[in-house]
Amino acid sequence: MDTTQHPTIQHDVSLKARHTFGLDATADKYIEIQHPSDIHCLLDSGKLQKPFVILGGGSNMLFPYRYHGTVVHIATKGIRVVVEDEDAITVSAAAGELWDDLVRHCVAHGWHGLENMAAIPGTVGAAPVQNVGAYGVEAKDYIERVFATDITTGKSLIFTTEECHFGYRDSIFKNKMADRCIITEVWFRLSKTYEPNLAYKSLMEALKMDGLANPSARQVYDTVTRIRWDKLPRPEDMGSAGSFFKNPIISPSHYNHLKEIHPDLHGHKDGNGYKVSAAWLIEQCGWKGRNMGRCGVYVKQPLVLVNLGGCTFDEVRNLSEAIMQDVEAQFDIPLEREALFSIA
Ligand SMILES: Cc1cc2nc3c(=O)[nH]c(=O)nc-3n(C[C@H](O)[C@H](O)[C@H](O)COP(=O)(O)OP(=O)(O)OC[C@H]3O[C@@H](n4cnc5c(N)ncnc54)[C@H](O)[C@@H]3O)c2cc1C
């Protein structure tokens, strides 16, 4: 007799409160993974069939009215020390841990590096997927290993930092391994000595204003949290997916040409090109604070599209496409969405 507890499959489950944009959406099937062994039970049972999508906190995903597939929600918990010496520590966090809980835990224990990424919504397991980043720091700077289960073979996989192929809001998990693996655990290498990273102008200015010339990690954590929520809508107040578009990277000749016409163009050198502020481009096209139906461009930050109440998936798609068309027509720059459309 098979006594294995398989994770339960629920039917017709509302996703409205399970993603931060808050669209009215329902999944045909919904499975919650509470323990790593649930993943193997699920794969062994043969019940996970395409189409499916892995869901963390839903803060970078949007769903249509009906998702005709299976949503697998990762809810595993646990933070532990793997190894430590006098100077540094390797910390492991389960994929379902909230990212900000991990950051707070590390700050409280004097393990440094993640504090500039305070208050990013979502889970640890999603952090390597788009290599989350904020205020001059990216997850890749501290990720040592990513553990995953291959959905097609059930095998355990371990990725070193190099093998993750991290880029700007990008990784192997969005490319070669997209839909291939469930991230189960992430290891972070953190320092026991605090050296503030204050290269990001607005963070440095905010700390200066508070008279914090030599801030502690906790003070940086608190300041980042405050200035983030000054300019971004809190998911509990207004639905959004954070930055809806990536900042585009353009060639030096394109940048120089635009800079001649628009001396106030916001951009900086990035690798072989220039990274340009998508918020600036969108604002120049007159979209800041405008809306189409019940989807709007956030008045304080035009990179963020917001749910003005009862917004539909089509309204988000239409508004994002209109913005992309305008930016391309005016600046010859194709914008790329950072937020993900999960359609099945
Ligand atoms: C208000 C707001 C502010 C934000 N600010 C930032 C910011 O400053 N910087 C930044 O980088 N992002 C930001 N974001 C975007 C978002 O927080 C990140 O993309 C975050 O990593 C998403 O985590 P999640 O758990 O919600 O992932 P989800 O939205 O659930 O999923 C995102 C992607 O990861 C995949 N995924 C999730 N968990 C796993 C897993 N265990 N295994 C395999 N694949 C998985 C999903 O399939 C999907 O492809 C913001 C979002 C909001 C709403």
Side-chain angles (χ1 to χ4, degrees):
M1 195 174 75
D2 179 11
T3 53
T4 320
Q5 289 281 315
H6 296 293
T8 318
I9 300 182
Q10 300 172 57
H11 295 267
D12 301 324
V13 172
S14 170
L15 300 173
K16 194 170 178 170
R18 291 178 165 93
H19 72 300
T20 55
F21 218 99
L23 302 175
D24 200 357
T26 302
D28 279 2
K29 294 179 192 167
Y30 185 88
I31 299 171
E32 185 152 298
I33 301 293
Q34 305 232 1
H35 192 271
S37 62
D38 291 348
I39 297 172
H40 295 284
C41 292
L42 177 65
L43 298 180
D44 290 348
S45 72
K47 285 183 183 159
L48 183 58
Q49 278 154 13
K50 286 186 178 170
F52 62 83
V53 69
I54 312 300
L55 177 71
S59 50
N60 204 29
M61 289 170 96
L62 288 89
F63 295 92
Y65 185 67
R66 188 87 203 180
Y67 181 79
H68 296 288
T70 306
V71 171
V72 182
H73 176 229
I74 309 300
T76 51
K77 297 285 176 198
I79 299 176
R80 69 190 164 90
V81 173
V82 178
V83 65
E84 90 179 280
D85 57 36
E86 232 172 80
D87 306 318
I89 189 158
T90 297
V91 180
S92 159
E97 283 287 347
L98 289 182
W99 173 261
D100 191 45
D101 285 353
L102 171 69
V103 179
R104 262 191 294 120
H105 184 91
C106 294
V107 170
H109 285 78
W111 308 331
H112 306 301
L114 306 181
E115 47 288 320
N116 287 37
M117 294 183 282
I120 296 180
T123 57
V124 167
V129 176
Q130 75 148 0
N131 179 26
V132 293
Y135 296 98
V137 178
E138 289 181 321
K140 75 166 171 53
D141 303 332
Y142 298 95
I143 289 177
E144 187 176 289
R145 294 266 187 285
V146 174
F147 294 78
T149 303
D150 188 323
I151 294 170
T152 49
T153 64
K155 283 194 179 144
S156 298
L157 305 171
I158 304 175
F159 297 85
T160 61
T161 316
E162 293 69 35
E163 287 166 345
C164 289
H165 297 167
F166 287 124
Y168 165 58
R169 300 294 176 270
D170 201 21
S171 74
I172 194 169
F173 308 108
K174 278 181 123 179
N175 298 293
K176 193 173 155 204
M177 296 309 284
D179 303 325
R180 273 283 303 280
C181 62
I182 298 179
I183 293 170
T184 50
E185 185 181 339
V186 185
W187 286 8
F188 299 87
R189 185 77 178 154
L190 304 172
S191 171
K192 288 187 174 175
T193 319
Y194 186 51
E195 279 176 35
N197 180 339
L198 307 180
Y200 206 88
K201 203 169 150 216
S202 63
L203 173 58
M204 201 184 59
E205 283 170 358
L207 288 161
K208 230 188 205 168
M209 292 257 287
D210 291 344
L212 300 171
N214 194 14
S216 67
R218 178 73 218 194
Q219 286 166 330
V220 168
Y221 175 91
D222 289 340
T223 304
V224 167
T225 302
R226 175 169 54 82
I227 60 179
R228 280 182 72 82
W229 295 127
D230 276 352
K231 66 168 194 202
L232 291 174
R234 285 182 185 269
E236 56 274 28
D237 298 335
M238 191 178 259
S240 88
S243 302
F244 201 89
F245 303 99
K246 288 186 185 182
N247 289 316
I249 297 173
I250 60 175
S251 69
S253 57
H254 193 173
Y255 179 78
N256 291 334
H257 170 70
L258 287 177
K259 194 80 183 162
E260 264 176 35
I261 310 168
H262 307 278
D264 59 336
L265 170 68
H266 290 205
H268 62 266
K269 207 159 179 356
D270 188 289
N272 294 329
Y274 280 82
K275 193 187 272 179
V276 179
S277 159
W280 186 88
L281 297 170
I282 295 167
E283 188 170 353
Q284 295 305 304
C285 291
W287 278 107
K288 189 175 176 177
R290 276 176 63 194
N291 57 291
M292 270 174 83
R294 290 157 293 181
C295 188
V297 180
Y298 195 49
V299 72
K300 289 191 199 172
Q301 169 49 279
L303 202 47
V304 177
L305 301 192
V306 288
N307 182 346
L308 298 171
C311 170
T312 65
F313 180 80
D314 285 343
E315 285 173 325
V316 187
R317 184 158 53 188
N318 292 343
L319 176 58
S320 62
E321 281 172 1
I323 291 171
M324 289 158 91
Q325 275 167 17
D326 278 2
V327 168
E328 180 140 26
Q330 197 162 325
F331 296 101
D332 195 19
I333 297 178
L335 280 186
E336 205 185 316
R337 288 189 192 100
E338 182 179 314
L340 304 163
F341 287 171
S342 294
I343 303 169

